[in-house]
Amino acid sequence: MNAPAPDVHFKYKPQGRVLKEFHRQSGTFVRVLIGPLGSGKTQACISEMLRQIDTQVPDNQHVRRSRWAAVRNTYPDLVNTTIKDFKEIVEPMGIGTFVNTSPPRWNCKYKRPDGTTVEAEVLFLAFDIPQDEKKARGLQLSGVWLNEMKELNRNNVDMLMGRVGRYPPRSKVRKAKSCI
């Protein structure tokens, strides 16, 4: 895993009023972002996920642990859009490593200027059919990004949202839940 210098910065500016409001509501459990093609929805969601990873409440060992799922309806869409867009944002920052496992994942570990360490994992999952909800059973997540949620089966969405707020364990740290 990469361990970038504490001065790693992500340059992002929300495109307009709707995206600014989306980020202001970051404490809300569920946020849905709807807009036209090219309006910055994907970049806003990835930026929000990275912000929440970076600002997760640290545990008693001063580690900001989080685990997210980035979900798309089909595996080809996951690879060709969700993962591709995610890589375009994180690779220039020099943080994290993609691992081509099943499911694909991105892991990062780095020190922050405040002395805490960020340790995060993003699982990239495809949910094609209603029976795919079994993929979510047992997942313990800090948050989930449902990319193109309108393409997902409602049972899968419900199962995924029920897995949020389970990591890190409550015995280790107070945490916020988030679905974007």
Side-chain angles (χ1 to χ4, degrees):
M1 285 188 233
N2 296 342
D7 62 348
V8 170
H9 296 287
F10 173 53
K11 294 179 182 173
Y12 165 72
K13 184 176 179 182
Q15 297 178 31
R17 176 184 55 79
V18 172
L19 297 182
K20 287 177 186 174
E21 184 61 26
F22 170 76
H23 294 296
R24 271 195 288 273
Q25 296 175 1
S26 67
T28 306
F29 181 63
V30 176
R31 288 174 288 155
V32 177
L33 191 53
I34 300 170
L37 186 67
S39 62
K41 300 177 302 292
T42 297
Q43 187 174 22
C45 289
I46 294 168
S47 300
E48 182 65 21
M49 183 175 17
L50 294 173
R51 188 195 65 73
Q52 288 195 31
I53 285 170
D54 191 61
T55 60
Q56 168 68 37
V57 176
D59 62 18
N60 54 6
Q61 286 134 359
H62 310 290
V63 179
R64 298 172 183 270
R65 302 176 201 278
S66 60
R67 181 181 301 128
W68 282 72
V71 176
R72 187 71 197 253
N73 59 315
T74 68
Y75 189 75
D77 286 344
L78 182 73
V79 171
N80 295 324
T81 62
T82 308
I83 292 174
K84 182 181 175 207
D85 293 338
F86 191 87
K87 283 182 173 183
E88 285 177 3
I89 290 175
V90 298
E91 286 179 348
M93 295 170 59
I95 60 170
T97 304
F98 268 88
V99 184
N100 283 325
T101 55
S102 183
R105 64 187 68 226
W106 175 78
N107 298 306
C108 76
K109 181 176 181 179
Y110 61 92
K111 289 271 190 198
R112 292 187 70 225
D114 64 4
T116 61
T117 300
V118 172
E119 289 184 9
E121 174 180 43
V122 177
L123 306 170
F124 293 89
L125 302 166
F127 279 73
D128 300 277
I129 57 175
Q131 294 80 1
D132 280 344
E133 75 178 66
K134 66 184 174 202
K135 292 179 187 177
R137 289 196 177 110
L139 281 180
Q140 297 182 14
L141 300 172
S142 309
V144 63
W145 169 34
L146 304 171
N147 189 9
E148 298 292 348
M149 186 172 79
K150 69 182 182 283
E151 304 292 332
L152 297 169
N153 176 281
R154 175 63 190 257
N155 291 338
N156 291 338
V157 170
D158 290 344
M159 176 63 81
L160 284 160
M161 288 181 18
R163 308 315 300 168
V164 172
R166 296 173 177 257
Y167 187 83
R170 292 175 198 247
S171 61
K172 304 278 185 193
V173 66
R174 176 184 63 79
K175 64 198 168 304
K177 304 179 195 183
S178 186
C179 297
I180 53 177

